[in-house]
Amino acid sequence: TAFNVPLESIHEIKPGHALVIKKDGQVSEQQFIEPQEKKSCSFERIYFSRGSDADIYKERKELGRLLCPTILQAVDKDLKHTVFSFIPNTAEVAFYGMVKGMEDYLKEVKKKKILKLVGTPDLVSLLSEILSIRPRVEKIAIKDAKLRTFITDDSQRNELVAHVYDITYGTLRRGEDNLVVIDDSIVRGTTLRNSIVRILDRLGPKKIIIVSSAPQIRYPDCYGIDMAKIGDLIAFRAAIALLEENNMEHVIDEVEHKCKEALQSTEPLTTNPVKAIYKPFTAEQVSDKISSLLKPQDLNAELKIIYQKIEDLHTACPNHKGDWYFSGDYPTPGGNKVVCRAFLNFMRGVNERAY
């Protein structure tokens, strides 16, 4: 936009190449190292990247659309009593994709209803009623401050989240409607538990469903996005809680032992021993535990947290396969060392960065 350059003229520098600009104005891309497997960061596409980029806009819409089957199951396909919204502002594009997916679903519902109308008295009235069916969409949450609590200093975050959001009253039928709110990601859950969920509950929904367009963030990042402490991640805390509830503390001890061995070794670490923490449980079990951990004791509505599936993330972002914060599959030995250090910091109660 700043240079008024057409979209088709924009190209990424190829992996393993450098952009070389000579004094006489000659420009070239020159290979300086053998390119390896491309593992571009997918979380940047979901969270940080400029939403007006053509590819990112399409990808975020697709992330929202792919969540629709799980959302429909969560509300028992009762769209008549379900209101859709989004929070924060960066989830708006995924919200459009979610609404488009619901419209496509309702289109099929309308077809079936119309086909049953043949020979029915008062056809015009019934047809008008069917054609008026559409997703109920409202702007429920309003972000008053242009602040991202995710990147706020730890000591200030809890105070900040209580004052960031306001809601639109009169948008739900109290005690009757479900409220589905899409978010771009749920990292720590601090904002949800301390502010958003409580505020949404004031509208009197029967059920609050928070939908994350990103999968469960289970592991720290060390390549650019600042998620250095594994104990801060709500998915990790949920998995630890599940292990303790099921008398499987031996898994935690085994992982701790393997992490110590890995950090003492001089050999490159090609595997991530912390993946064993999640192995006994399904993604849905972890999500349900997250819902339990994030639900305030005084909440009146039922709370359910839904996360994107990793497979659907790859469908939506086919050219950005880097997913180590979700899958634990780090592309470098250094990443595996960082997750081991983060786990040991958690076990020792050390509140410091893992890199």
Side-chain angles (χ1 to χ4, degrees):
T1 302
F3 292 99
N4 193 25
V5 178
L7 176 65
E8 55 273 13
S9 298
I10 306 297
H11 304 283
E12 286 191 13
I13 299 173
K14 293 189 290 290
H17 286 66
L19 184 68
V20 179
I21 305 173
K22 300 288 189 180
K23 281 194 288 187
D24 61 4
Q26 291 186 16
V27 180
S28 63
E29 272 188 68
Q30 297 181 15
Q31 183 174 327
F32 69 92
I33 195 171
E34 189 68 29
Q36 299 184 38
E37 182 184 2
K38 189 176 180 182
K39 288 280 189 177
S40 302
C41 176
S42 57
F43 195 38
E44 286 182 357
R45 313 293 286 185
I46 300 167
Y47 188 86
F48 276 121
S49 297
R50 188 182 295 273
S52 58
D53 177 272
D55 289 337
I56 291 167
Y57 184 80
K58 287 187 288 187
E59 288 170 11
R60 289 182 179 176
K61 280 186 72 176
E62 184 67 1
L63 285 168
R65 189 189 70 80
L66 289 169
L67 283 160
C68 288
T70 311
I71 296 170
L72 284 166
Q73 184 179 358
V75 299
D76 297 323
K77 299 184 179 179
D78 183 10
L79 298 192
K80 185 177 180 180
H81 296 95
T82 301
V83 174
F84 296 92
S85 194
F86 62 91
I87 189 169
N89 297 339
T90 48
E92 186 173 3
V93 178
F95 167 74
Y96 293 140
M98 178 179 68
V99 171
K100 177 65 168 62
M102 292 301 171
E103 288 173 346
D104 291 342
Y105 166 75
L106 286 176
K107 190 183 297 182
E108 295 303 313
V109 171
K110 291 177 186 180
K111 282 181 185 178
K112 292 176 182 177
K113 287 181 176 289
I114 290 171
L115 289 173
K116 292 179 180 178
L117 290 180
V118 179
T120 305
D122 200 14
L123 181 62
V124 174
S125 174
L126 290 171
L127 192 59
S128 296
E129 184 180 332
I130 291 171
L131 292 175
S132 69
I133 299 173
R134 59 177 59 88
R136 294 174 59 194
V137 174
E138 302 288 354
K139 186 164 185 179
I140 298 291
I142 303 161
K143 196 167 188 179
D144 286 343
K146 293 183 179 179
L147 296 167
R148 296 306 298 268
T149 57
F150 170 63
I151 53 176
T152 304
D153 180 75
D154 289 349
S155 61
Q156 300 176 14
R157 186 177 299 108
N158 287 341
E159 182 179 353
L160 178 65
V161 294
H163 305 288
V164 171
Y165 295 99
D166 197 1
I167 48 171
T168 307
Y169 289 92
T171 48
L172 270 73
R173 294 176 294 223
R174 300 187 72 86
E176 296 182 31
D177 290 335
N178 303 309
L179 177 57
V180 176
V181 179
I182 191 167
D183 200 346
D184 53 17
S185 59
I186 303 170
V187 184
R188 300 179 178 95
T190 308
T191 310
L192 283 180
R193 184 183 58 247
N194 293 353
S195 179
I196 294 174
V197 171
R198 279 195 171 96
I199 292 174
L200 295 178
D201 196 45
R202 295 175 190 172
L203 297 174
K206 182 174 61 177
K207 191 174 187 178
I208 298 173
I209 300 169
I210 306 294
V211 186
S212 170
S213 65
Q216 296 168 5
I217 298 170
R218 298 180 166 194
Y219 306 94
D221 186 37
C222 54
Y223 304 116
I225 294 175
D226 188 16
M227 294 187 292
K229 302 172 187 176
I230 198 169
D232 285 349
L233 307 179
I234 186 62
F236 176 78
R237 298 204 304 272
I240 292 291
L242 285 171
L243 288 171
E244 291 173 345
E245 289 172 8
N246 288 277
N247 299 316
M248 299 175 69
E249 288 90 345
H250 66 277
V251 174
I252 303 173
D253 296 336
E254 289 166 7
V255 170
E256 182 179 19
H257 178 70
K258 289 180 180 178
C259 286
K260 287 178 180 176
E261 283 187 336
L263 292 181
Q264 291 168 359
S265 174
T266 57
E267 295 297 317
L269 184 59
T270 58
T271 59
N272 174 4
V274 183
K275 291 173 74 170
I277 294 292
Y278 299 93
K279 191 174 181 181
F281 312 109
T282 65
E284 187 174 358
Q285 285 176 305
V286 176
S287 292
D288 289 344
K289 190 60 188 176
I290 290 171
S291 302
S292 173
L293 293 175
L294 294 185
K295 183 178 180 179
Q297 289 186 346
D298 57 349
L299 196 74
N300 294 310
E302 181 185 345
L303 178 65
K304 185 171 181 62
I305 310 289
I306 292 174
Y307 283 88
Q308 186 76 255
K309 297 175 182 175
I310 294 181
E311 309 82 61
D312 287 343
L313 167 70
H314 291 159
T315 299
C317 307
N319 298 319
H320 293 76
K321 300 292 189 182
D323 64 0
W324 47 90
Y325 14 71
F326 311 127
S327 68
D329 297 330
Y330 288 88
T332 67
N336 291 319
K337 285 285 182 78
V338 164
V339 72
C340 288
R341 196 173 298 116
F343 185 81
L344 291 179
N345 284 345
F346 167 77
M347 293 299 295
R348 295 165 181 166
V350 177
N351 186 27
E352 64 180 36
R353 306 172 64 84
Y355 58 86

